[in-house]
Each structure stands twice: as structure tokens, then as C-alpha cells.
Amino acid sequence: MPSPWGWFAVTACGGAGNNFEEPVALQEMDTSNGVLLPFYDPDSSIVYLCGKGDSSIRYFEITDEPPFVHYLNTFSSKEPQRGMGFMPKRGLDVSKCEIARFYKLHERKCEPIIMTVPRKSDLFQDDLYPDTPGPEPALEADEWLSGQDAEPVLISLRDGYVPPKHRELRVTKRNILDVRPPAGPRRSQSASDAPLTQHTLETLLEEIKALREQVQAQEQRITALENMLCELVDGTD
């Protein structure tokens, strides 16, 4: 259930001495009364906290040793979020070292927020992408209702890795002595080699001016069409 956006509590789990009534750690967030939307990534032990009506995403690392909760960073934007969605790990782009993707709900649009880890290597990053729960269920509904339990069916994300394509650089050396002018009588000075006259210069300037006016008119036409498209999209929402 969503919690008040002000305090974030971590409850102990695992082991014979479970105590779900008392938190093992408390983290003060702010004094807002908005709804807290937590998203936990068990592969990286990172919990992302989004507040409805807030414009930031705070994320913490959860460990088994005190103080259990370690602040990492805050992502901030200008507009507040009306809601937030979280992409499953198997839907991320592993070739770009993407570790989380959120879908921020605005009044008339949904904005993707992508979080990546910068890496220089082009290889698959095993430390970022351990085996993660896949789409296949570990139990059927009847089995779970009968009291059975099972670990999730894990899959590898290595098959989703697409290595970047490196363009092969080829250098071809040419001997300038091999390029010889064709034999024949020498040509006289052509019209293209003749110096520009005042009349030719004025003609070129007029053509350039006409081309600039045509480009500006096309830009205005494109802007008007884009505005019409935005109005149509907003009207269908």
C-alpha cells in the first residue's frame, strides 16, 4: 500500500526472527503529504521512491548491514508527476547499460525517464544484469492457492544484448604520379575561368535571396503543420 510521502521505513525480512511490526531503518524524506510510490529492483538492491505530485525520484541502496539504507542520488525535473510506471528488467536496453526506466504520467502525455550506468566497455555487463525473473510463472494459480511455494523462474538478459557496430576504417594510398593529365592540345581559357562581372555577381545575389525566401516560407509551412498535428493529438487524448 502507498505510504505517506515523508518517512520511508525498511522492514526486516528473512530468517526465523522476522519482525514485520518494527522497522529496522527510518529515512526522513520531506514534509509533503503526497502518496509515496516505491519501486524496488531486487537485482541491484535499489529502491526508487517517487512522490505523487512531486517532481523528483530519490533512490537508495538496501543492504543487510547497518544502517541498511544508503542514499544514492536524486533525479529532478520541472513538472510534477501525476503517476509513475516501472519497466520490468527484461524490457531494458542492456546494450546501453540501462538499469531502470520509468514512465512519468503528465496531464496529456507519458514521459519515459531512462537511467543508465556509464561504461566504456562494449561487452555485456554481467554485474549490472544478473539472472532476473522472466515471464514464465513458477506456479499455477491452483498450486499457489493450495499452499505451494516456489522460487521465480529466472532468465538471462544476455540474449537481448546487441553489440555496437564498429565501422571499419580503410585508408587507400594513391600515388599522385600515377594521375597524369591527358595528352592533347592546351585548352584556351573557358567561360568558367573568366572573372566575374558586376552583372553576374548581381544575378547570383538575387538567386541567393530568392532561395532564402523560399526556405523561410517552407520553414513557416512546416511549423504550421506541426502545430496542427499537436492540436489534433491533444484533441484525441
Side-chain angles (χ1 to χ4, degrees):
M1 292 294 292
S3 303
W5 178 246
W7 289 87
F8 168 60
V10 177
T11 306
C13 59
N18 288 341
N19 182 8
F20 292 98
E21 297 181 357
E22 296 294 333
V24 297
L26 284 174
Q27 178 71 38
E28 184 177 4
M29 307 301 298
D30 57 28
T31 58
S32 175
N33 294 325
V35 178
L36 178 65
L37 305 174
F39 299 96
Y40 180 64
D41 179 13
D43 297 337
S44 59
S45 299
I46 296 179
V47 60
Y48 301 88
L49 302 179
C50 315
K52 189 174 182 180
D54 194 14
S55 58
S56 61
I57 302 175
R58 297 174 176 87
Y59 40 106
F60 302 80
E61 183 181 9
I62 308 299
T63 60
D64 296 331
E65 300 177 355
F68 304 108
V69 180
H70 305 271
Y71 171 77
L72 295 179
N73 208 337
T74 299
F75 170 83
S76 298
S77 57
K78 295 181 179 179
E79 299 182 9
Q81 54 249 13
R82 293 173 173 262
M84 191 71 71
F86 191 62
M87 170 67 75
K89 207 62 172 289
R90 60 182 181 270
L92 302 182
D93 189 348
V94 297
S95 61
K96 296 181 180 179
C97 296
E98 183 182 2
I99 62 171
R101 186 190 306 170
F102 297 90
Y103 291 94
K104 179 179 178 180
L105 180 61
H106 296 265
E107 183 178 0
R108 292 185 174 271
K109 65 179 180 179
C110 185
E111 174 190 4
I113 299 176
I114 298 174
M115 296 187 178
T116 60
V117 176
R119 293 288 175 88
K120 294 183 179 180
S121 175
D122 293 335
L123 302 176
F124 178 76
Q125 305 297 317
D126 299 88
D127 59 328
L128 297 181
Y129 304 106
D131 291 348
T132 189
E136 295 296 329
L139 293 174
E140 297 294 337
D142 296 339
E143 296 174 341
W144 184 79
L145 291 174
S146 65
Q148 298 185 33
D149 194 7
E151 295 294 329
V153 180
L154 303 181
I155 61 172
S156 174
L157 299 179
R158 183 179 293 272
D159 294 337
Y161 174 70
V162 180
K165 297 181 180 179
H166 296 281
R167 293 183 298 175
E168 183 179 359
L169 180 62
R170 295 183 179 181
V171 179
T172 303
K173 295 183 179 180
R174 298 181 59 187
N175 191 346
I176 60 175
L177 298 179
D178 295 338
V179 182
R180 299 178 180 179
R186 298 183 61 183
R187 297 182 298 109
S188 60
Q189 187 178 21
S190 62
S192 60
D193 298 331
L196 293 175
T197 62
Q198 183 66 25
H199 176 71
T200 304
L201 182 59
E202 292 177 355
T203 303
L204 291 176
L205 292 176
E206 291 177 357
E207 291 180 359
I208 293 174
K209 182 179 180 181
L211 289 174
R212 286 179 177 176
E213 293 176 352
Q214 185 177 1
V215 169
Q216 291 178 357
Q218 294 296 335
E219 290 178 349
Q220 294 176 358
R221 176 60 176 169
I222 292 173
T223 301
L225 292 175
E226 290 177 345
N227 293 334
M228 293 174 60
L229 179 60
C230 292
E231 294 177 357
L232 291 176
V233 172
D234 292 341
T236 56
D237 290 342

